[in-house]
Amino acid sequence: MEGLMERLERAVTRLEKMSVTMQMSNSMANGDCVNGIDEDLSLCIEAFDVVLKGPVSEYLNHSRSIGREVEKHAEMVNNALQTQRTFLKMAAMNQEPAQTKLHNLLKPISDHIQEIQTFREQNRGCSLFNHLSAVSESIPALGWVAVSQKPAPYVKEMNDAATFYTNRVLKDYKDTDRRHVDWVRSYLSIWTEIQSFIRQHHTTGLVWSKTGPIAPSLFDSPTVPCAPCPPPPPPPGPPPVFTDEDSKPQAGGAAAKHSALFTQLNQGMDITKGLKHVSDTDKTHKNPNLRSQATPTKTKSPGAVKAPQAAVQKRPALLELEGKKWRVENFEQKHDLVIEETELKQVAYVFSCNNSTLQIKGKINSIIIDNCKKLGLVFENVVGIVEIINSKGIQLQVLGKVPTISINKTEGCQVYLSKDSINCDIVSAKSSEMNIMVPQGDEDYREFPVPEQFKTVWDGSKLVTEPTEIAG
Protein backbone atom coordinates (compact mmCIF):
# COMPACT_ATOMS: atom_id res chain seq x y z
CA MET A 1 0.00 0.00 0.00
CA GLU A 2 2.81 2.40 0.88
CA GLY A 3 4.54 1.65 -2.42
CA LEU A 4 1.34 2.48 -4.28
CA MET A 5 1.04 5.82 -2.46
CA GLU A 6 4.61 6.77 -3.39
CA ARG A 7 3.92 5.97 -7.05
CA LEU A 8 0.79 8.14 -6.96
CA GLU A 9 2.72 11.04 -5.40
CA ARG A 10 5.40 10.84 -8.10
CA ALA A 11 2.73 10.79 -10.79
CA VAL A 12 1.02 13.86 -9.29
CA THR A 13 4.37 15.70 -9.20
CA ARG A 14 5.00 14.94 -12.88
CA LEU A 15 1.51 16.14 -13.83
CA GLU A 16 2.05 19.43 -11.93
CA LYS A 17 5.34 20.05 -13.82
CA MET A 18 3.62 19.35 -17.14
CA SER A 19 0.84 21.80 -16.20
CA VAL A 20 3.36 24.58 -15.45
CA THR A 21 5.12 23.95 -18.77
CA MET A 22 1.83 24.14 -20.69
CA GLN A 23 0.93 27.43 -18.97
CA MET A 24 4.30 28.92 -19.95
CA SER A 25 3.77 27.81 -23.55
CA ASN A 26 0.30 29.40 -23.62
CA SER A 27 1.61 32.67 -22.18
CA MET A 28 4.33 32.78 -24.82
CA ALA A 29 1.75 32.20 -27.55
CA ASN A 30 -0.38 35.03 -26.15
CA GLY A 31 2.53 37.48 -26.19
CA ASP A 32 3.22 37.49 -22.46
CA CYS A 33 6.68 36.08 -23.08
CA VAL A 34 8.68 35.91 -26.30
CA ASN A 35 11.69 33.63 -26.54
CA GLY A 36 11.96 33.55 -22.78
CA ILE A 37 11.78 37.37 -22.48
CA ASP A 38 9.28 39.16 -20.28
CA GLU A 39 6.58 41.15 -22.03
CA ASP A 40 8.08 44.56 -21.20
CA LEU A 41 11.51 43.50 -22.38
CA SER A 42 9.98 41.94 -25.48
CA LEU A 43 8.47 45.33 -26.31
CA CYS A 44 11.98 46.79 -25.96
CA ILE A 45 13.35 44.44 -28.64
CA GLU A 46 10.36 45.13 -30.87
CA ALA A 47 10.96 48.88 -30.52
CA PHE A 48 14.59 48.44 -31.58
CA ASP A 49 13.42 46.37 -34.56
CA VAL A 50 11.26 49.33 -35.58
CA VAL A 51 14.42 51.45 -35.78
CA LEU A 52 16.16 48.77 -37.85
CA LYS A 53 13.25 48.36 -40.25
CA GLY A 54 12.63 52.12 -40.52
CA PRO A 55 15.54 54.64 -40.52
CA VAL A 56 18.28 52.01 -40.80
CA SER A 57 16.64 50.32 -43.79
CA GLU A 58 16.10 53.70 -45.44
CA TYR A 59 19.73 54.65 -44.77
CA LEU A 60 20.90 51.41 -46.38
CA ASN A 61 18.79 52.05 -49.48
CA HIS A 62 20.13 55.58 -49.94
CA SER A 63 23.70 54.35 -49.36
CA ARG A 64 23.27 51.71 -52.05
CA SER A 65 21.99 54.34 -54.46
CA ILE A 66 25.18 56.35 -53.89
CA GLY A 67 27.35 53.22 -53.96
CA ARG A 68 31.12 52.89 -53.66
CA GLU A 69 32.63 53.50 -50.22
CA VAL A 70 29.37 54.83 -48.78
CA GLU A 71 27.61 51.52 -49.49
CA LYS A 72 30.40 49.48 -47.90
CA HIS A 73 30.40 51.76 -44.87
CA ALA A 74 26.64 51.39 -44.51
CA GLU A 75 26.90 47.59 -44.47
CA MET A 76 29.39 47.88 -41.60
CA VAL A 77 26.97 50.12 -39.70
CA ASN A 78 24.14 47.65 -40.27
CA ASN A 79 26.27 44.78 -38.95
CA ALA A 80 27.12 46.83 -35.87
CA LEU A 81 23.44 47.57 -35.18
CA GLN A 82 22.54 43.90 -35.62
CA THR A 83 25.21 43.01 -33.07
CA GLN A 84 23.77 45.57 -30.69
CA ARG A 85 20.32 44.03 -31.12
CA THR A 86 21.77 40.65 -30.14
CA PHE A 87 23.37 42.30 -27.10
CA LEU A 88 20.05 43.91 -26.08
CA LYS A 89 18.26 40.59 -26.41
CA MET A 90 20.92 38.92 -24.27
CA ALA A 91 20.55 41.65 -21.62
CA ALA A 92 16.76 41.14 -21.64
CA MET A 93 17.21 37.44 -20.83
CA ASN A 94 20.11 37.62 -18.34
CA GLN A 95 21.10 39.46 -15.23
CA GLU A 96 23.94 41.96 -15.33
CA PRO A 97 27.37 40.28 -14.93
CA ALA A 98 30.46 41.56 -13.17
CA GLN A 99 32.37 44.43 -14.79
CA THR A 100 35.18 42.17 -15.99
CA LYS A 101 32.73 39.96 -17.88
CA LEU A 102 30.79 42.99 -19.13
CA HIS A 103 33.89 44.24 -20.98
CA ASN A 104 34.05 40.93 -22.85
CA LEU A 105 30.37 41.22 -23.76
CA LEU A 106 30.90 44.72 -25.16
CA LYS A 107 33.95 43.75 -27.23
CA PRO A 108 32.01 42.77 -30.41
CA ILE A 109 30.36 46.21 -30.48
CA SER A 110 33.71 47.88 -29.84
CA ASP A 111 35.26 45.90 -32.71
CA HIS A 112 32.54 47.11 -35.09
CA ILE A 113 33.19 50.73 -34.08
CA GLN A 114 36.91 50.29 -34.67
CA GLU A 115 36.29 48.69 -38.07
CA ILE A 116 34.07 51.58 -39.19
CA GLN A 117 36.56 54.23 -38.09
CA THR A 118 39.49 52.39 -39.67
CA PHE A 119 37.63 52.25 -42.99
CA ARG A 120 37.35 56.05 -42.94
CA GLU A 121 41.10 56.44 -42.30
CA GLN A 122 41.91 54.07 -45.16
CA ASN A 123 39.87 56.16 -47.61
CA ARG A 124 41.01 59.69 -46.86
CA GLY A 125 41.48 60.46 -50.53
CA CYS A 126 37.92 59.43 -51.37
CA SER A 127 35.63 62.06 -52.89
CA LEU A 128 32.93 60.90 -50.43
CA PHE A 129 35.19 61.45 -47.42
CA ASN A 130 32.67 63.75 -45.70
CA HIS A 131 30.10 60.94 -45.78
CA LEU A 132 32.57 58.53 -44.21
CA SER A 133 33.59 61.11 -41.61
CA ALA A 134 29.99 61.78 -40.56
CA VAL A 135 29.50 58.08 -39.85
CA SER A 136 32.90 57.59 -38.25
CA GLU A 137 32.51 60.53 -35.84
CA SER A 138 29.05 59.46 -34.64
CA ILE A 139 29.31 55.66 -34.57
CA PRO A 140 30.70 55.67 -30.97
CA ALA A 141 27.06 56.36 -30.03
CA LEU A 142 26.65 52.57 -30.04
CA GLY A 143 28.53 52.65 -26.75
CA TRP A 144 25.43 54.00 -24.97
CA VAL A 145 24.89 50.50 -23.56
CA ALA A 146 27.88 51.12 -21.28
CA VAL A 147 26.75 54.60 -20.16
CA SER A 148 25.00 54.78 -16.81
CA GLN A 149 22.57 57.43 -15.59
CA LYS A 150 21.52 59.15 -18.86
CA PRO A 151 22.69 57.47 -22.07
CA ALA A 152 20.35 59.44 -24.37
CA PRO A 153 22.31 62.74 -24.07
CA TYR A 154 25.46 60.78 -24.92
CA VAL A 155 23.89 59.64 -28.19
CA LYS A 156 22.83 63.21 -28.95
CA GLU A 157 26.40 64.40 -28.41
CA MET A 158 27.70 61.85 -30.91
CA ASN A 159 24.96 62.84 -33.36
CA ASP A 160 26.03 66.48 -33.07
CA ALA A 161 29.57 65.43 -33.97
CA ALA A 162 28.24 64.06 -37.26
CA THR A 163 26.43 67.26 -38.24
CA PHE A 164 29.74 69.06 -38.85
CA TYR A 165 30.36 66.73 -41.80
CA THR A 166 26.75 66.26 -42.87
CA ASN A 167 26.49 70.04 -43.30
CA ARG A 168 29.37 69.81 -45.73
CA VAL A 169 27.59 67.09 -47.65
CA LEU A 170 24.47 69.24 -47.85
CA LYS A 171 26.47 72.24 -49.00
CA ASP A 172 28.17 70.22 -51.75
CA TYR A 173 25.10 68.35 -53.07
CA LYS A 174 21.89 70.17 -52.08
CA ASP A 175 21.60 71.79 -55.51
CA THR A 176 23.10 68.99 -57.61
CA ASP A 177 22.20 65.52 -56.28
CA ARG A 178 19.15 64.87 -54.11
CA ARG A 179 20.36 61.38 -53.17
CA HIS A 180 22.98 62.80 -50.82
CA VAL A 181 20.44 65.05 -49.11
CA ASP A 182 18.18 62.05 -48.48
CA TRP A 183 21.20 60.11 -47.25
CA VAL A 184 21.96 62.77 -44.62
CA ARG A 185 18.34 62.89 -43.46
CA SER A 186 18.05 59.11 -43.14
CA TYR A 187 21.35 58.70 -41.31
CA LEU A 188 20.72 61.41 -38.72
CA SER A 189 17.24 60.02 -38.12
CA ILE A 190 18.81 56.74 -36.94
CA TRP A 191 20.33 58.42 -33.90
CA THR A 192 17.23 60.53 -33.31
CA GLU A 193 15.10 57.38 -33.16
CA ILE A 194 17.64 55.60 -30.95
CA GLN A 195 17.48 58.53 -28.53
CA SER A 196 13.72 58.12 -28.34
CA PHE A 197 14.15 54.37 -27.90
CA ILE A 198 16.56 54.91 -25.00
CA ARG A 199 14.32 57.45 -23.27
CA GLN A 200 11.41 55.03 -23.44
CA HIS A 201 13.09 51.76 -22.47
CA HIS A 202 16.52 52.54 -20.95
CA THR A 203 16.12 56.00 -19.43
CA THR A 204 18.72 55.65 -16.68
CA GLY A 205 20.94 53.06 -18.34
CA LEU A 206 20.74 49.63 -19.90
CA VAL A 207 17.98 47.53 -18.26
CA TRP A 208 18.98 43.96 -17.49
CA SER A 209 16.69 41.07 -16.60
CA LYS A 210 15.98 40.64 -12.90
CA THR A 211 15.02 36.97 -12.99
CA GLY A 212 17.22 35.28 -15.61
CA PRO A 213 20.64 33.72 -15.11
CA ILE A 214 23.85 35.72 -14.96
CA ALA A 215 24.92 36.77 -18.43
CA PRO A 216 27.65 34.59 -19.99
CA SER A 217 31.09 36.05 -20.57
CA LEU A 218 30.60 35.96 -24.35
CA PHE A 219 27.60 36.05 -26.64
CA ASP A 220 27.20 35.03 -30.23
CA SER A 221 26.91 38.03 -32.56
CA PRO A 222 25.08 37.51 -35.86
CA THR A 223 27.62 36.18 -38.33
CA VAL A 224 27.61 34.33 -41.62
CA PRO A 225 27.65 30.52 -41.40
CA CYS A 226 31.16 29.30 -40.80
CA ALA A 227 32.96 26.66 -42.81
CA PRO A 228 32.83 23.03 -41.65
CA CYS A 229 35.32 21.99 -38.99
CA PRO A 230 38.68 20.75 -40.28
CA PRO A 231 39.49 17.05 -39.97
CA PRO A 232 41.01 15.93 -36.66
CA PRO A 233 44.81 15.93 -36.41
CA PRO A 234 46.69 12.68 -37.00
CA PRO A 235 47.31 10.45 -33.99
CA PRO A 236 50.50 11.14 -32.04
CA GLY A 237 53.63 9.13 -32.75
CA PRO A 238 55.10 6.52 -30.42
CA PRO A 239 56.41 7.76 -27.08
CA PRO A 240 60.15 8.50 -26.89
CA VAL A 241 62.41 5.77 -25.57
CA PHE A 242 64.31 6.78 -22.43
CA THR A 243 67.66 5.26 -21.57
CA ASP A 244 69.45 5.08 -18.28
CA GLU A 245 71.84 7.80 -19.39
CA ASP A 246 68.94 10.23 -19.80
CA SER A 247 67.99 9.85 -16.15
CA LYS A 248 71.48 10.78 -14.94
CA PRO A 249 71.99 14.44 -13.92
CA GLN A 250 73.99 16.47 -16.40
CA ALA A 251 77.32 17.92 -15.33
CA GLY A 252 76.18 21.47 -16.00
CA GLY A 253 72.70 21.03 -14.56
CA ALA A 254 71.16 23.28 -11.92
CA ALA A 255 71.47 20.63 -9.21
CA ALA A 256 75.21 20.23 -9.80
CA LYS A 257 75.75 24.01 -9.71
CA HIS A 258 73.84 24.35 -6.44
CA SER A 259 75.81 21.50 -4.91
CA ALA A 260 79.14 23.11 -5.85
CA LEU A 261 78.00 26.46 -4.44
CA PHE A 262 77.04 25.04 -1.06
CA THR A 263 80.29 23.08 -0.91
CA GLN A 264 82.23 26.33 -1.24
CA LEU A 265 80.11 28.14 1.33
CA ASN A 266 80.64 25.33 3.85
CA GLN A 267 84.40 25.94 3.82
CA GLY A 268 83.95 28.72 6.36
CA MET A 269 87.09 30.80 6.91
CA ASP A 270 89.09 28.58 4.55
CA ILE A 271 87.19 30.01 1.56
CA THR A 272 89.71 32.91 1.31
CA LYS A 273 92.67 30.58 0.84
CA GLY A 274 91.95 30.36 -2.86
CA LEU A 275 92.32 34.13 -3.39
CA LYS A 276 95.45 35.52 -5.05
CA HIS A 277 97.64 37.90 -3.07
CA VAL A 278 98.05 41.37 -4.58
CA SER A 279 101.26 43.25 -3.81
CA ASP A 280 101.38 46.99 -3.07
CA THR A 281 102.98 47.69 -6.45
CA ASP A 282 99.86 46.37 -8.21
CA LYS A 283 97.37 48.38 -6.13
CA THR A 284 96.14 51.55 -7.87
CA HIS A 285 95.49 53.46 -4.63
CA LYS A 286 99.12 52.95 -3.59
CA ASN A 287 100.75 53.27 -7.02
CA PRO A 288 99.69 56.55 -8.78
CA ASN A 289 101.40 55.46 -12.02
CA LEU A 290 98.75 52.82 -12.57
CA ARG A 291 95.97 55.45 -12.52
CA SER A 292 97.28 57.21 -15.62
CA GLN A 293 97.07 54.07 -17.68
CA ALA A 294 94.03 53.75 -19.91
CA THR A 295 91.24 51.68 -18.53
CA PRO A 296 90.13 48.75 -20.62
CA THR A 297 87.13 49.46 -22.81
CA LYS A 298 84.21 47.18 -23.23
CA THR A 299 83.52 45.94 -26.72
CA LYS A 300 80.07 45.11 -27.86
CA SER A 301 79.50 41.60 -28.98
CA PRO A 302 78.27 41.13 -32.53
CA GLY A 303 75.03 39.72 -31.19
CA ALA A 304 74.24 42.98 -29.37
CA VAL A 305 74.05 44.99 -32.57
CA LYS A 306 70.42 45.84 -33.29
CA ALA A 307 69.04 44.81 -36.60
CA PRO A 308 68.20 47.76 -38.85
CA GLN A 309 64.56 48.67 -38.78
CA ALA A 310 62.54 48.17 -41.89
CA ALA A 311 62.17 51.35 -43.87
CA VAL A 312 58.73 52.93 -43.73
CA GLN A 313 57.05 52.57 -47.09
CA LYS A 314 56.26 56.01 -48.50
CA ARG A 315 53.11 56.59 -50.44
CA PRO A 316 53.49 58.16 -53.86
CA ALA A 317 53.11 61.91 -54.16
CA LEU A 318 49.92 62.98 -55.87
CA LEU A 319 48.55 66.21 -57.38
CA GLU A 320 45.50 65.58 -59.54
CA LEU A 321 41.88 66.56 -60.07
CA GLU A 322 39.45 63.77 -59.19
CA GLY A 323 35.97 64.84 -60.20
CA LYS A 324 35.54 68.16 -58.41
CA LYS A 325 38.27 67.51 -55.85
CA TRP A 326 41.92 68.51 -56.10
CA ARG A 327 44.06 65.95 -54.27
CA VAL A 328 47.49 67.09 -53.06
CA GLU A 329 49.09 64.30 -51.04
CA ASN A 330 52.42 63.00 -49.69
CA PHE A 331 54.78 65.71 -50.93
CA GLU A 332 58.15 66.22 -49.19
CA GLN A 333 60.48 69.22 -49.70
CA LYS A 334 58.43 70.48 -52.65
CA HIS A 335 58.06 74.26 -52.88
CA ASP A 336 56.72 74.76 -56.41
CA LEU A 337 53.29 73.15 -56.14
CA VAL A 338 50.69 75.16 -58.07
CA ILE A 339 47.00 74.63 -58.85
CA GLU A 340 46.03 77.03 -61.64
CA GLU A 341 42.84 75.92 -63.39
CA THR A 342 40.24 76.15 -60.63
CA GLU A 343 36.46 76.40 -60.68
CA LEU A 344 33.93 77.62 -58.15
CA LYS A 345 32.56 74.12 -57.37
CA GLN A 346 35.96 72.53 -56.83
CA VAL A 347 37.54 71.76 -53.45
CA ALA A 348 41.17 71.14 -52.52
CA TYR A 349 42.26 68.45 -50.07
CA VAL A 350 45.89 68.67 -48.92
CA PHE A 351 47.03 65.61 -46.95
CA SER A 352 50.38 64.59 -45.41
CA CYS A 353 52.52 67.24 -47.13
CA ASN A 354 55.67 68.23 -45.22
CA ASN A 355 58.15 71.06 -45.74
CA SER A 356 56.34 72.14 -48.89
CA THR A 357 54.60 75.16 -50.41
CA LEU A 358 51.33 75.17 -52.37
CA GLN A 359 49.77 78.00 -54.35
CA ILE A 360 46.12 77.90 -55.44
CA LYS A 361 45.05 80.44 -58.04
CA GLY A 362 41.58 81.63 -58.95
CA LYS A 363 38.40 81.06 -56.94
CA ILE A 364 37.66 77.71 -55.26
CA ASN A 365 34.91 76.37 -52.99
CA SER A 366 36.92 75.19 -49.97
CA ILE A 367 40.37 74.01 -48.85
CA ILE A 368 41.22 71.35 -46.27
CA ILE A 369 44.74 70.87 -44.83
CA ASP A 370 45.02 67.58 -42.96
CA ASN A 371 48.02 66.00 -41.17
CA CYS A 372 50.63 68.35 -42.66
CA LYS A 373 53.85 69.74 -41.15
CA LYS A 374 55.63 72.97 -42.09
CA LEU A 375 53.35 73.66 -45.03
CA GLY A 376 52.95 77.03 -46.68
CA LEU A 377 49.67 77.75 -48.49
CA VAL A 378 48.97 80.82 -50.63
CA PHE A 379 45.53 81.17 -52.21
CA GLU A 380 43.47 83.89 -53.83
CA ASN A 381 39.74 83.44 -53.13
CA VAL A 382 37.69 80.82 -51.26
CA VAL A 383 33.89 81.07 -51.14
CA GLY A 384 33.41 78.50 -48.36
CA ILE A 385 35.90 77.60 -45.63
CA VAL A 386 39.59 76.95 -45.19
CA GLU A 387 40.10 74.24 -42.59
CA ILE A 388 43.34 73.12 -40.92
CA ILE A 389 43.23 69.81 -39.01
CA ASN A 390 45.85 67.74 -37.15
CA SER A 391 48.78 69.77 -38.43
CA LYS A 392 51.92 71.56 -37.21
CA GLY A 393 53.74 74.68 -38.33
CA ILE A 394 51.27 75.92 -40.96
CA GLN A 395 51.61 79.28 -42.72
CA LEU A 396 48.56 80.59 -44.54
CA GLN A 397 48.37 83.66 -46.76
CA VAL A 398 45.14 85.08 -48.19
CA LEU A 399 45.48 87.21 -51.28
CA GLY A 400 41.77 87.83 -51.87
CA LYS A 401 38.70 86.92 -49.79
CA VAL A 402 37.74 84.06 -47.48
CA PRO A 403 34.68 84.02 -45.16
CA THR A 404 35.87 81.48 -42.58
CA ILE A 405 39.14 79.93 -41.42
CA SER A 406 38.89 76.93 -39.07
CA ILE A 407 41.89 75.66 -37.05
CA ASN A 408 41.45 72.35 -35.19
CA LYS A 409 44.01 70.22 -33.33
CA THR A 410 46.91 72.20 -34.74
CA GLU A 411 50.19 73.34 -33.15
CA GLY A 412 51.57 76.50 -34.70
CA CYS A 413 49.61 78.39 -37.34
CA GLN A 414 50.45 81.76 -38.89
CA VAL A 415 47.66 83.40 -40.91
CA TYR A 416 48.39 86.39 -43.15
CA LEU A 417 45.19 88.22 -44.01
CA SER A 418 44.63 90.57 -46.92
CA LYS A 419 42.77 93.86 -46.75
CA ASP A 420 39.72 92.20 -48.31
CA SER A 421 39.68 89.32 -45.78
CA ILE A 422 40.04 91.25 -42.51
CA ASN A 423 36.41 90.56 -41.58
CA CYS A 424 36.67 86.76 -41.94
CA ASP A 425 35.67 84.48 -39.05
CA ILE A 426 38.51 82.54 -37.42
CA VAL A 427 37.30 79.50 -35.46
CA SER A 428 39.81 77.51 -33.39
CA ALA A 429 39.61 74.46 -31.12
CA LYS A 430 42.24 72.37 -29.35
CA SER A 431 45.03 74.37 -31.00
CA SER A 432 48.03 76.40 -29.83
CA GLU A 433 50.56 78.98 -31.04
CA MET A 434 48.15 80.68 -33.43
CA ASN A 435 48.94 84.16 -34.74
CA ILE A 436 46.96 86.38 -37.10
CA MET A 437 48.90 88.86 -39.21
CA VAL A 438 46.78 91.91 -40.03
CA PRO A 439 47.98 94.21 -42.84
CA GLN A 440 49.16 97.66 -41.83
CA GLY A 441 49.85 99.84 -44.85
CA ASP A 442 51.13 98.37 -48.09
CA GLU A 443 53.62 95.71 -46.99
CA ASP A 444 53.66 95.79 -43.19
CA TYR A 445 51.79 93.37 -40.93
CA ARG A 446 50.90 93.54 -37.26
CA GLU A 447 50.84 90.29 -35.33
CA PHE A 448 47.93 89.37 -33.03
CA PRO A 449 48.02 86.11 -31.04
CA VAL A 450 44.81 84.06 -30.80
CA PRO A 451 43.88 83.46 -27.13
CA GLU A 452 44.47 79.95 -25.84
CA GLN A 453 43.36 80.40 -22.22
CA PHE A 454 39.92 81.49 -21.08
CA LYS A 455 38.13 82.44 -17.89
CA THR A 456 34.49 81.47 -17.32
CA VAL A 457 32.28 83.06 -14.63
CA TRP A 458 28.62 82.85 -13.67
CA ASP A 459 26.88 86.23 -13.92
CA GLY A 460 23.69 85.11 -12.22
CA SER A 461 21.85 83.91 -15.31
CA LYS A 462 24.44 82.38 -17.65
CA LEU A 463 28.10 81.49 -18.04
CA VAL A 464 30.31 84.25 -19.43
CA THR A 465 33.62 83.25 -21.03
CA GLU A 466 36.37 85.67 -21.98
CA PRO A 467 40.05 85.30 -22.82
CA THR A 468 42.47 85.79 -19.99
CA GLU A 469 46.05 87.03 -19.94
CA ILE A 470 48.67 85.90 -17.43
CA ALA A 471 51.61 88.18 -16.86
CA GLY A 472 54.83 86.22 -17.24
Side-chain angles (χ1 to χ4, degrees):
M1 190 66 179
E2 292 179 357
L4 181 60
M5 292 297 295
E6 291 179 359
R7 291 174 60 188
L8 287 173
E9 289 177 357
R10 287 197 296 266
V12 171
T13 303
R14 291 175 60 188
L15 288 172
E16 289 176 349
K17 291 182 178 179
M18 292 177 62
S19 176
V20 171
T21 304
M22 292 178 64
Q23 290 178 3
M24 291 178 62
S25 301
N26 291 333
S27 63
M28 291 174 64
N30 294 331
D32 297 337
C33 185
V34 178
N35 294 331
I37 309 176
D38 294 340
E39 182 178 5
D40 292 340
L41 297 177
S42 174
L43 294 175
C44 165
I45 302 301
E46 291 177 0
F48 195 80
D49 287 340
V50 171
V51 178
L52 296 178
K53 296 176 182 178
V56 176
S57 178
E58 187 179 356
Y59 159 69
L60 288 172
N61 292 334
H62 291 309
S63 299
R64 294 186 183 108
S65 67
I66 296 174
R68 298 172 53 193
E69 292 84 1
V70 171
E71 181 180 1
K72 296 178 182 178
H73 221 201
E75 294 297 337
M76 296 179 185
V77 174
N78 183 46
N79 293 336
L81 289 168
Q82 294 294 340
T83 299
Q84 181 153 98
R85 183 191 184 279
T86 305
F87 180 86
L88 293 174
K89 185 176 180 180
M90 181 273 304
M93 300 174 62
N94 298 271
Q95 298 184 45
E96 184 176 5
Q99 286 296 322
T100 54
K101 291 185 178 181
L102 182 59
H103 290 314
N104 293 333
L105 291 173
L106 292 172
K107 188 178 184 303
I109 298 177
S110 177
D111 291 343
H112 281 297
I113 295 174
Q114 183 66 33
E115 178 190 23
I116 292 169
Q117 293 181 332
T118 302
F119 185 81
R120 188 272 293 262
E121 295 301 322
Q122 293 173 345
N123 292 274
R124 280 190 167 271
C126 172
S127 59
L128 302 172
F129 182 69
N130 287 330
H131 299 68
L132 306 183
S133 297
V135 175
S136 180
E137 291 294 328
S138 56
I139 199 63
L142 291 176
W144 71 265
V145 291
V147 178
S148 56
Q149 300 301 324
K150 296 181 179 180
Y154 170 77
V155 176
K156 183 180 184 304
E157 182 180 352
M158 294 298 102
N159 192 25
D160 292 341
T163 56
F164 177 79
Y165 292 97
T166 55
N167 287 341
R168 289 183 172 183
V169 176
L170 295 175
K171 182 180 67 175
D172 293 340
Y173 294 98
K174 64 180 180 180
D175 297 329
T176 58
D177 195 336
R178 184 68 188 178
R179 294 177 302 169
H180 299 267
V181 178
D182 295 335
W183 180 90
V184 169
R185 177 182 53 79
S186 61
Y187 179 72
L188 294 180
S189 66
I190 293 176
W191 303 118
T192 303
E193 292 299 324
I194 288 182
Q195 290 178 58
S196 302
F197 163 78
I198 294 173
R199 291 191 180 98
Q200 184 177 359
H201 299 281
H202 303 276
T203 308
T204 57
L206 180 64
V207 178
W208 293 80
S209 173
K210 299 186 186 316
T211 57
I214 301 297
S217 58
L218 293 174
F219 76 95
D220 296 328
S221 58
T223 56
V224 296
C226 59
C229 297
V241 179
F242 294 96
T243 62
D244 294 338
E245 295 180 356
D246 294 333
S247 61
K248 296 179 181 180
Q250 300 292 329
K257 292 181 180 179
H258 290 168
S259 177
L261 175 62
F262 284 113
T263 301
Q264 292 182 354
L265 292 176
N266 290 332
Q267 295 180 16
M269 297 300 295
D270 294 336
I271 195 172
T272 59
K273 291 182 179 180
L275 299 178
K276 180 182 177 181
H277 177 71
V278 181
S279 62
D280 292 343
T281 57
D282 294 333
K283 297 178 181 178
T284 56
H285 65 283
K286 291 187 177 181
N287 190 353
N289 295 329
L290 296 177
R291 302 176 192 172
S292 60
Q293 297 179 3
T295 59
T297 59
K298 296 182 179 179
T299 59
K300 295 183 178 179
S301 61
V305 179
K306 295 183 178 180
Q309 296 182 352
V312 179
Q313 184 178 3
K314 293 184 178 180
R315 295 184 178 181
L318 178 67
L319 195 161
E320 68 175 10
L321 178 62
E322 184 181 87
K324 297 180 181 179
K325 182 176 186 177
W326 283 99
R327 295 176 56 187
V328 186
E329 301 177 6
N330 308 313
F331 281 100
E332 299 278 350
Q333 300 288 345
K334 191 73 172 176
H335 297 282
D336 56 354
L337 300 173
V338 180
I339 298 177
E340 293 183 341
E341 299 178 0
T342 58
E343 297 178 2
L344 186 59
K345 294 183 179 181
Q346 293 177 350
V347 300
Y349 179 68
V350 187
F351 176 72
S352 189
C353 293
N354 302 325
N355 298 302
S356 301
T357 304
L358 171 65
Q359 182 179 2
I360 301 177
K361 298 182 179 181
K363 184 178 291 187
I364 197 169
N365 188 283
S366 61
I367 302 173
I368 300 176
I369 299 175
D370 188 4
N371 196 28
C372 297
K373 294 181 181 179
K374 296 183 179 180
L375 174 72
L377 173 64
V378 181
F379 63 92
E380 294 182 1
N381 294 287
V382 171
V383 298
I385 185 174
V386 175
E387 183 176 6
I388 306 169
I389 315 172
N390 299 323
S391 299
K392 293 182 180 180
I394 304 299
Q395 291 193 7
L396 201 71
Q397 183 173 5
V398 189
L399 301 179
K401 293 183 178 181
V402 59
T404 306
I405 298 175
S406 175
I407 308 172
N408 294 313
K409 299 179 182 180
T410 296
E411 297 178 11
C413 183
Q414 197 98 342
V415 180
Y416 291 83
L417 297 177
S418 65
K419 293 182 179 179
D420 296 332
S421 61
I422 290 180
N423 296 325
C424 76
D425 297 332
I426 299 175
V427 182
S428 61
K430 298 181 181 180
S431 300
S432 60
E433 303 176 26
M434 299 171 289
N435 296 293
I436 310 301
M437 311 296 290
V438 179
Q440 303 285 328
D442 293 335
E443 298 181 356
D444 294 335
Y445 287 88
R446 184 179 176 185
E447 182 178 2
F448 293 90
V450 177
E452 300 177 20
Q453 191 174 33
F454 302 89
K455 178 180 68 176
T456 302
V457 296
W458 176 257
D459 68 350
S461 60
K462 63 181 182 302
L463 292 175
V464 178
T465 301
E466 58 183 12
T468 180
E469 296 181 1
I470 298 178

